[in-house]
Amino acid sequence: MMFGTSLALIAQEFQGRERGTALGIWGGTTALAVSTGPLLGGALVDALSWRWIFFVNVPIGLAALVVARMRLRESRNPAASGVDLRGVTLLSPALFLLVFALIRGNDEGWGSALIIGCFVASAMLLVLFAVAERRTADPLLDLTLFRKPAFTGVMTVGFALSASIFSMFLYITLFFQNVLGYSPFQAGLRSLPVTMPILFVSPLSGRLTARVPVRLLLGTGLAFVTVGLLLMGNLSDSSGWTALLPGQILAGIGIGLATPALASTAVGVVPPQLSGMASGASNTARQLGLATGIAGLGSIFQSKIQSTLTPLVAGTPASAHVHELARAVSSGGTGRALQSVPPAAHDKVAGAAHHAFVTGFNTIALVSVAVAAAGSVAAYGLVRSRDFVAAGRRAAATPEPGAVSAEPARM
């Protein structure tokens, strides 16, 4: 809700170079949160308990409510007829069934009636959603927006960015904590090589959105992410955390380049009254990319770990429970799983688990490389300068203070 609405508010309040600067600050603020979150979260887990990562957000949320009430100017479309409940009813379960099938595919079997049924039902609901949106006067998502290649491109880029590097953050954290044995706080420190470049590059990229074609920022940003992931997917059994360092830095630069351009493009290629819908759609694409990326990579990760473990633990007591062991290794539960292994076979099974994790990590890193590369190609090929709404038309459409303006986020 907040990510989609925040972009609509920025589109309402800022124009031209000021908008680029505002989006750069928006991206930098997000990067600062991403940078400090793992550190503070790790410190809370280490010092108090995991419950405090939830409790700490209560005062933060209350403070945000107060600031929003005091400082944000209202934005409302007087012609809006309400929420498209039919669209919500069709889209939400469609996305849920898709993600559920990806998560449960390994355990239930990809050819099982449950998984196939979820995929089929998801596809049918998405088709019904598209039909319903075409017939609705005030749709949740105006599908005619996709007639502009730039809008399709920015949705693809947002999905690819989240499905690649942001989804890999989970498995990088598992590598730090469950393979190398770092505490949550120590793992947070080793995430800074990704997050710190975002903090410095995002404001610069935001200013550049008003001066250079945004497809160069988007495409180049995803290209940096692609190379970074390629470097990360080259671990060996003896690798320490520094093996990821070059890839982390490049990926951080890429995220910093792409994020403000992603935001400016989403609201820049649609009429002002649709900026809320566009920013909401962009946010939905990113969240969907994150959900399907984590689920899809997780399925590939567990499958690769199991196929690697099977011959390595043959002849040990763990061979009869290789599926459960693979699930434990892929989800960070290796230590608990090894507690049930007899001492005589413990070292062999532990070594096999370590090797299987590294092999699986390299595999999903390469899958992420392909996703990020596809996003880079889409950015260069689809995001065209002529698809942007003219600055003059936008300025003319901007209301005076106190007047109603951009439609709030619809997705």
Side-chain angles (χ1 to χ4, degrees):
M1 287 181 179
M2 291 191 295
F3 264 95
T5 306
S6 65
L7 289 182
L9 291 170
I10 290 175
Q12 167 189 292
E13 298 292 340
F14 299 96
Q15 300 295 326
R17 293 186 178 181
E18 283 190 345
R19 176 181 292 177
T21 302
L23 289 171
I25 295 172
W26 177 84
T29 304
T30 304
L32 180 61
V34 172
S35 302
T36 57
L39 295 177
L40 295 178
L44 288 171
V45 171
D46 286 345
L48 299 172
S49 78
W50 60 267
R51 292 174 177 84
W52 279 91
I53 66 173
F54 299 101
F55 295 154
V56 73
N57 288 295
V58 176
I60 294 174
L62 292 174
L65 286 172
V66 173
V67 172
R69 183 69 178 175
M70 294 175 59
R71 303 297 299 173
L72 292 183
R73 187 165 65 94
E74 183 59 88
S75 171
R76 183 178 288 115
N77 181 3
S81 60
V83 177
D84 177 14
L85 294 178
R86 182 168 57 178
V88 174
T89 303
L90 291 171
L91 183 62
S92 297
L95 301 183
F96 169 80
L97 290 170
L98 173 62
V99 176
F100 178 82
L102 290 172
I103 291 174
R104 298 294 300 169
N106 280 331
D107 293 330
E108 302 293 340
W110 293 101
S112 67
L114 175 63
I115 300 304
I116 292 177
C118 285
F119 280 128
V120 171
S122 176
M124 291 178 63
L125 288 170
L126 287 173
V127 171
L128 290 174
F129 172 75
V131 173
E133 295 305 277
R134 289 181 178 276
R135 298 180 178 180
T136 301
D138 194 17
L140 180 71
L141 176 61
D142 187 350
L143 298 180
T144 61
L145 294 176
F146 288 96
R147 294 175 182 173
K148 281 191 174 183
F151 186 81
T152 302
V154 77
M155 295 300 110
T156 304
V157 170
F159 181 92
L161 187 65
S162 293
S164 57
I165 183 60
F166 283 108
S167 297
M168 281 296 296
F169 284 163
L170 169 62
Y171 303 100
I172 293 172
T173 301
L174 288 177
F175 176 69
F176 288 156
Q177 292 189 226
N178 296 285
V179 175
L180 301 183
Y182 291 118
S183 70
F185 181 74
Q186 291 171 330
L189 284 174
R190 286 159 179 81
S191 298
L192 290 178
V194 176
T195 55
M196 291 306 291
I198 304 174
L199 180 62
F200 293 104
V201 175
S202 287
L204 174 62
S205 177
R207 294 184 66 86
L208 289 175
T209 57
R211 303 179 182 182
V212 302
V214 291
R215 72 174 183 274
L216 298 181
L217 297 173
L218 292 171
T220 305
L222 266 294
F224 269 93
V225 170
T226 300
V227 176
L229 287 167
L230 189 63
L231 293 177
M232 288 188 223
N234 193 32
L235 296 181
S236 67
D237 290 356
S238 60
S239 293
W241 78 273
T242 55
L244 297 177
L245 188 58
Q248 286 179 295
I249 294 172
L250 289 179
I253 293 172
I255 295 170
L257 281 174
T259 300
L262 192 64
S264 67
T265 304
V267 297
V269 298
V270 300
Q273 67 271 21
L274 295 181
S275 61
M277 180 185 292
S279 63
S282 174
N283 184 54
T284 299
R286 296 179 66 173
Q287 297 300 325
L288 180 60
L290 186 62
T292 57
I294 290 176
L297 292 179
S299 296
I300 297 171
F301 190 47
Q302 182 178 332
S303 178
K304 185 62 177 179
I305 287 174
Q306 182 168 335
S307 66
T308 304
L309 276 175
T310 301
L312 294 178
V313 300
T316 71
S319 62
H321 308 283
V322 67
H323 179 73
E324 291 77 9
L325 179 60
R327 183 193 296 178
V329 173
S330 64
S331 61
T334 306
R336 293 190 301 273
L338 292 176
Q339 291 176 0
S340 61
V341 177
H346 185 277
D347 289 345
K348 180 177 181 179
V349 175
H354 182 103
H355 177 73
F357 185 100
V358 170
T359 302
F361 184 95
N362 289 339
T363 300
I364 60 174
L366 291 178
V367 173
S368 298
V369 166
V371 174
S376 180
V377 171
Y380 283 125
L382 294 176
V383 180
R384 310 173 305 181
S385 297
R386 64 177 177 270
D387 285 338
F388 281 73
V389 174
R393 288 162 52 196
R394 280 189 161 272
T398 302
E400 295 298 322
V404 293
S405 180
E407 176 188 17
R410 300 294 306 281
M411 295 190 68

